[in-house]
């Protein structure tokens, strides 16, 4: 261009060359920063995925006679874990499931979630009843918060809502203990209702630490029934107008006889409502009691 304009011997030539070099250096530096940001993001995601595998172990698709599926979505950008939690354990001839929600959201709540999950995995098979297990979790949370108080001033304001359920293999019931957690959805036949919880205890960290402080509810749960456990990230999801997700109004649109499809449908439904802009972490656990297959010549009783 400078040759065409007759500027090869002009004093402007060094200025043009300098400008080209500056622009080239800027482009190279921008590209390097972009590549570094991509590498850092990939590293953060890899660490997050590793943390999720350690913190939220995948629940097997079958636990005893029951079919199970789970899903977790963190509100924090680029995070895969946060303040919601779930876990399941086999105890002889029964399945126990925990779902909970730490006060707060995102990455700062991981410490509390980790403490509850560790306590549940350790104690799930040690206690005969759910109230005894709940009392054990309360003692563990208190110890955790007491140790945390030495370094975190506001630890006294922390708590964890939790729901414990037990599904015996040989009885068509579920046993439930609630510690301030939203009641799950129960589908029986064509009807979906909120599972009745007569007297929920305060959240973990605020409750008493004796078994008699936790009320045990027993509800029928037979072949064909499905239970959907969730955290308040579902019920409190808002659309652009500030309207909450219409939980009970949407249940007729979901597939209930397949836990994996159920959690997928719920997740897509809340995205349509909130525009993929969840303001809180969301955890889902679906448990289905399959109907025994009918063999030819042997109709069910």
């Amino acid at each position: 261009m400078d040759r065409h304009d007759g500027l090869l011997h002009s004093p402007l030539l060094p200025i043009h060359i300098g400008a080209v070099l500056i622009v080239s250096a800027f482009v190279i530096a921008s590209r390097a920063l972009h590549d570094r940001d991509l590498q850092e993001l990939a590293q953060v995601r890899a660490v997050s995925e590793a943390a999720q595998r350690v913190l939220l172990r995948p629940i097997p698709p079958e636990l005893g006679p029951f079919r199970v599926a789970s899903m977790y979505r963190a509100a924090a950008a680029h995070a895969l874990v946060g303040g919601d939690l779930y876990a399941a354990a086999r105890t002889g001839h029964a399945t126990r499931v925990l779902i909970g929600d730490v006060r707060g959201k995102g990455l700062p709540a991981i410490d509390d979630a980790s403490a509850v999950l560790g306590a549940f995995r350790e104690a799930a098979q040690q206690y005969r009843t759910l109230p005894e297990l709940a009392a054990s979790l309360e003692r563990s949370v208190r110890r955790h918060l007491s140790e945390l108080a030495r370094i975190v001033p506001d630890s006294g304001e922390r708590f964890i809502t939790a729901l414990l359920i037990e599904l015996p293999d040989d009885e068509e019931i579920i046993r439930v203990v609630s510690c301030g957690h939203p009641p799950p959805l129960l589908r029986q036949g064509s009807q979906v209702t909120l599972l009745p919880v007569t007297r929920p205890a305060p959240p973990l960290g605020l409750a008493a630490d004796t078994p008699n402080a936790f009320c045990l509810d027993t509800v029928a749960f037979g072949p064909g029934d499905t239970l959907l456990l969730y955290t308040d990230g579902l019920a409190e999801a808002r659309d652009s107008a500030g309207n909450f997700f219409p939980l009970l109004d949407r249940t007729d649109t979901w597939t209930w006889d397949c836990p994996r499809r159920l959690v997928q449908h719920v997740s897509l439904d809340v995205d349509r409502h909130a525009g993929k802009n969840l303001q809180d972490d969301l955890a889902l656990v679906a448990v289905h009691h399959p109907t025994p297959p009918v063999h030819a010549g042997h109709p069910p009783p």
Side-chain angles (χ1 to χ4, degrees):
M1 181 179 294
D2 286 340
R3 175 182 294 180
H4 182 271
D5 294 337
L7 299 178
L8 284 178
H9 302 290
S10 168
L12 295 177
L13 180 61
I15 297 176
H16 285 199
I17 294 175
V20 171
L21 292 176
I22 291 173
V23 171
S24 300
F26 178 79
V27 171
I28 293 172
S30 298
R31 179 65 184 183
L33 289 174
H34 176 70
D35 291 343
R36 188 191 66 181
D37 290 343
L38 288 179
Q39 291 176 353
E40 290 180 352
L41 181 60
Q43 291 174 350
V44 168
R45 188 167 185 84
V47 171
S48 184
E49 290 175 347
Q52 185 184 48
R53 286 192 295 269
V54 172
L55 186 64
L56 293 176
R57 300 173 186 171
I59 296 179
E62 294 184 358
L63 288 170
F66 307 103
R67 288 160 44 191
V68 186
S70 59
M71 177 179 288
Y72 189 91
R73 296 176 56 182
H78 309 304
L80 297 179
V81 291
D84 288 4
L85 56 101
Y86 58 74
R90 285 288 296 168
T91 60
H93 298 287
T95 297
R96 285 178 172 173
V97 180
L98 163 72
I99 191 167
D101 187 354
V102 174
R103 180 181 179 270
K105 63 182 180 180
L107 298 177
I110 290 179
D111 191 21
D112 294 349
S114 176
V116 177
L117 288 169
F120 173 80
R121 289 165 183 153
E122 179 67 23
Q125 301 187 33
Q126 296 182 8
Y127 293 93
R128 186 178 60 87
T129 68
L130 285 189
E132 292 174 325
L133 175 57
S136 173
L137 296 182
E138 172 64 25
R139 292 190 293 269
S140 295
V141 169
R142 286 190 183 187
R143 286 193 298 269
H144 165 71
L145 295 179
S146 177
E147 294 173 357
L148 203 61
R150 303 171 186 173
I151 55 175
V152 181
D154 67 343
S155 61
E157 301 176 2
R158 297 190 181 190
F159 57 83
I160 302 99
T161 68
L163 186 79
L164 290 164
I165 69 168
E166 182 177 75
L167 303 105
D169 294 353
D170 54 358
E171 299 180 74
E172 295 183 359
I173 60 171
I174 50 176
R175 302 184 181 98
V176 184
V177 166
S178 175
C179 301
H181 196 80
L185 293 172
L186 175 63
R187 185 178 189 266
Q188 295 176 313
S190 60
Q191 185 177 12
V192 179
T193 59
L194 290 172
L195 188 143
V197 177
T198 57
R199 187 166 59 89
L204 298 175
L206 304 175
D209 60 356
T210 57
N212 59 10
F214 299 92
C215 178
L216 181 67
D217 290 291
T218 302
V219 181
F221 189 71
D225 295 347
T226 303
L227 192 66
L228 178 64
L229 290 71
Y230 57 91
T231 55
D232 58 10
L234 175 63
E236 296 181 2
R238 296 173 182 261
D239 61 13
S240 58
N243 300 311
F244 288 113
F245 181 70
L247 183 60
L248 287 174
D249 293 341
R250 299 297 302 163
T251 57
D252 289 341
T253 66
W254 302 337
T255 300
W256 285 86
D257 57 355
C258 175
R260 180 181 57 83
R261 293 175 62 189
L262 175 58
V263 297
Q264 290 174 346
H265 286 178
V266 175
S267 178
L268 290 173
D269 209 2
V270 76
D271 275 346
R272 283 191 288 266
H273 178 80
K276 296 185 179 181
N277 186 29
L278 290 179
Q279 299 300 313
D280 199 357
D281 301 328
L282 170 63
L284 301 169
V285 178
V287 182
H288 178 66
H289 193 319
T291 302
V294 177
H295 300 286
H298 298 280

